[in-house]
Amino acid sequence: MTVTASVSAPRVTRAPVKRRIWSYWRFYLALSPFYVLFAVFGLYPMLSTIVLAFQRWDGLSARRFTGLDNFAFLIKDPTFWQALENTVVLFLMSTVPTLVLALVLAVMLQSAVRFTNVYRIAYFIPNVTSLVAMAIFFSSIFSTNFGLVNAALRSLGIPQQDWLGQPWGIKIAISTMIVWQWVGYNTLIYLAGLQAIPKEQYEAAKVDGAGAVRTFFSITLPQLRPVVLFTVVMSTIGGLQTFTEPQVMVGNSGGTGQSGMTVVLFFYRAAFLDNDYGYAAAIALSIFALVLLFTAINWRIFRGRGEDR
Amino acid sequence: MTRSKLRGIALHAALVLATLVFLFPFVWTIVMASNTTADIYRFPPKFTFGGHFGDNVRHVLENVAFFQSMANTAIVAVSTTVLVLFFDSLAAFTFAKFRFPGRNALFVILLATMLLPAQLAAVPQFQTMALLGWVGSLKALIIPGAANAFGIFWMRQYFQNSIHDELVEAATLDGCGFFGTYWHVALPSARPALAFLGIFTFVGSWNDYMWPLIVLTDPDHVTLQVALSSLNRAHGVDYSMVMTGALLAMIPLVIVFAVFARQFIKGATEGAVRG
């Protein structure tokens, strides 16, 4: 009696509000696991983080309210700015090649007729592997004396490089790993987007005498816009939270010149190595602000232009 | 040979090249894991598989509690996956097929939580774990992740498109309660979506690194990823052994993926285009 499918719900009788809400208890019970878990392990800690950001606390002694001190210190902390810069640079160095390569591969894959499933599976495998294992792998191939990259350079007569001992080398090694891991995933998403474009549009373009390049830029790319937005947003959220790759490849210090120090690694260090919880909370809030800012920017770039609203 | 045939060959050559690039790290991991470190350190390095895999495995087992951490990881990944599949699909079915006061508001809250980075909660969450006495326990990894917004969102899309309201209505008329309808009608029809969410959750849980690193304090009771990183930190010079550990840590994931690959890829791409 109490359970009624949405379509057949007769909205004739109006029971007192209390009873009406109560009669839906099964639905609320069904939804409760997520909301209870979120309240306990999500919302409550997040609110505590906001409070903590205005306090000084080492986890043992009493908390001390210090107002905006953590933020004032954060703004003056060169490591924070370094971490911010590294994160954005790494994000660009990995996301741009990833998405461009993915688009190229997707277009090629679309015109391939045979073995497409084999390619899809092969391209996706990097995405479902152990992150730590692969970070170790990439640090091994970029190793100075014994790494495969340097072995390849030497056999070409190019002097070896100290990849993981130099600021730019560290960034190249980290972004290479991210590119390797995410190209296939984005390829598949672009491929699905390409296949959703109506064939008539291509035929019309052909009739109008448009070449391959013209067709790509005036039909394929605009039609793909929502899918591109999706991949950019996902890459942004992931990229701004890069932690495992630098932590495993160059360690908690962030490596030479702290050039592998990302904001999340910076946060991890402040909270769980230095036990500077209030400061870590301020960093966490700045990460959140960063994610919001970048999401808003993406939204404007990809949704704002060329649309009616 | 015609021009289109040539183009076809060039196309497949490029696609095969990409395949080789994507698969190379796995091949090279096996090469390193089956040779001695000295072979790897030679110039030019040894490119063929060697016979030292057994020795390397033995060294891994001597240096970290590998099976223990593999078991820990499996317990965490399997229970998280089962809980997520159950809780997320139940909530998603409720959102997709029923009306009740506050439904839209609750759904908006759900979507908003997806924007929140995990770090925002990490410090107080650790304090909560300490309060509950869960620091060092696998519960600290399983319980907070037992239901998630993404899965509910994902399953809701599926239920909305794939289950007709008439079917839910008929089941209800036949005396199937709300839960009975979920169990007998919704769940069986959602296999492909559940397969995707299941693998997605399993892989994510298997790969989780930062939170286990924080909350599992006893070195003998860590997950595979943490064990692997400590192996790398302590024995980074012994690449062959470390890469053997890396290889072993990947095998279960590769097996899971191999079994469900088709469904997973279908699911992964459908969601992005729809979303």
Side-chain angles (χ1 to χ4, degrees), chain A residues 28 35 41 49 123 129-130 247, chain B residues 101 106 120 125 209 225 250:
Chain A
Y28 296 121
Y35 292 93
F41 300 109
T49 297
Y123 292 3
T129 186
S130 160
Q247 204 268 354
Chain B
L106 284 171
L120 211 50
Q125 207 176 77
Y209 178 57
Q225 309 303 324
M250 289 189 293

Side-chain angles (χ1 to χ4, degrees), chain A residues 197-234:
Chain A
I197 300 175
K199 296 268 180 298
E200 299 83 52
Q201 298 202 1
Y202 286 113
E203 279 155 24
K206 214 173 197 175
V207 172
D208 290 347
V213 177
R214 181 75 199 274
T215 310
F216 178 79
F217 282 104
S218 38
I219 295 177
T220 311
L221 217 48
Q223 290 277 330
L224 220 50
R225 184 185 279 256
V227 184
V228 173
L229 173 75
F230 173 82
T231 57
V232 172
V233 170
M234 296 311 280

